Amino acid sequence: QEFQKIYNCLDITIIERGESFYHEMMKDIVKEFEDKGFVQVDDGRKVVFVPGFPVPLTIVKSDGGYTYDTSDLAALKHRLCEEKGDILIYVVDSGQSVHFQTVFAAGQMIGWYDPKVTRVAHAAFGVVLGEDKKKFKTRSGDTVRLIDLLEEGLKRAMDKLKDKERDKVVLTPEELKAAQTSVAFGCIKYADLSHNRLNDYVFSFDKMLDDRGNTAAYLLYAFTRIRAIARLANIDEQMLRKAAREEVLVLDHEKEWKLGKCILRFPEILQKILEDLLLHTLCDYLYELATTFTEFYDSCYCVEKDRQTGQIVKVNMWRLLLCEATATVMAKGFDILGIKPVQRM
């Protein structure tokens, strides 16, 4: 129930499977390895040697009990053979790499899966460090609890929004609350995912909530600004859809070309993160897209207004379509990273 509070904050849907779920399957796993002649007895333990790995898997201890090796093999078989998983990704710290490589190789050896058909991967990750470059701990030396981190993020995000006086004129109480959770949880996720997961990184609330540089706060602000452009020009979604079918895209400014080419790189970014499971590539791309958009917006009028009256004189529809395409790609990027943008901020 305590974990569920965290899943709710981070918008995670999970099927909870404790080790006990696999317990009944373990004796069948041992029997299957024995029947195929893979088991050796060593000092009363039942072990399985996997070619290419120096340390064997211990599937039964000398006292007859099972080990992590047994439960991980049972879980692997269940995921492959019962749940028919096409891709299995194990997100566990890098200290477990050799263990998982051995378990996966054992699964191949016994014929549960063919790596050419089914992908089984270990997405290892490094350690989170405090600003003193040591393992992230509280002042009293305890490990930082994630729920405390999330609550602190909420508090700081609200302080930041109030500093900018967003609560006074810009946002309704509901919009303020939505912006607070979007910024707080978005920033914590993004701070984690924007680093190469294999490396250790330093956790800093101040850097994380900064609305300049490669942070979720900057990207979320950029996104709401882009979404507001069409709204301020009184152009609704139907008009944009109609324009997308009928309008000729005139890319005659170098900043339009630059933005167009950046948008077109999105599919190859997706292909890359699927291959190497490194999400910081997507974060870097979204930051590049947002900064490229800013260059475009500073140089190219999307909506031209009369200086005296503020009336809209001209709407450059093809440029609004570039704005829309940028926002659509950003929204999909946020969706993949588990970040929830808001319309007003």
Side-chain angles (χ1 to χ4, degrees), residues 73-142:
L73 285 167
L76 178 66
K77 184 175 187 192
H78 183 261
R79 289 161 188 164
L80 290 165
C81 304
E82 300 297 319
E83 301 200 305
K84 305 276 190 268
D86 302 303
I87 302 177
L88 307 188
I89 301 170
Y90 283 68
V91 186
V92 189
D93 74 84
S94 41
Q96 302 295 320
S97 288
V98 175
H99 166 70
F100 281 118
Q101 284 165 4
T102 314
V103 169
F104 300 161
Q108 283 177 53
M109 177 176 83
I110 203 162
W112 293 340
Y113 77 105
D114 174 356
K116 292 192 191 73
V117 179
T118 307
R119 180 178 181 188
V120 182
H122 173 209
F125 55 83
V127 177
V128 182
L129 305 173
E131 295 194 54
D132 56 1
K133 304 281 197 295
K134 296 194 172 83
K135 210 166 178 180
F136 196 33
K137 297 264 170 82
T138 62
R139 285 202 177 143
S140 58
D142 303 322

Side-chain angles (χ1 to χ4, degrees), residues 10-21:
L10 296 178
D11 203 25
I12 289 167
T13 310
I14 193 163
I15 298 171
E16 193 80 53
R17 293 265 168 83
E19 199 178 355
S20 57
F21 177 84

Side-chain angles (χ1 to χ4, degrees), residues 93-94 124-138 142-146 149 187-205 208:
D93 74 84
S94 41
F125 55 83
V127 177
V128 182
L129 305 173
E131 295 194 54
D132 56 1
K133 304 281 197 295
K134 296 194 172 83
K135 210 166 178 180
F136 196 33
K137 297 264 170 82
T138 62
D142 303 322
T143 303
V144 178
R145 292 168 70 229
L146 183 52
L149 197 73
C187 282
I188 289 171
K189 285 182 183 182
Y190 193 85
D192 198 61
L193 297 174
S194 60
H195 293 88
N196 184 327
R197 67 172 159 75
L198 300 167
N199 301 339
D200 301 344
Y201 76 89
V202 173
F203 186 92
S204 157
F205 269 119
M208 200 177 78

Side-chain angles (χ1 to χ4, degrees), residues 24-38:
E24 287 305 302
M25 306 170 199
M26 293 190 209
K27 59 179 183 296
D28 295 338
I29 294 292
V30 174
K31 186 173 184 307
E32 187 176 347
F33 274 91
E34 285 179 327
D35 290 350
K36 296 214 169 150
F38 289 130

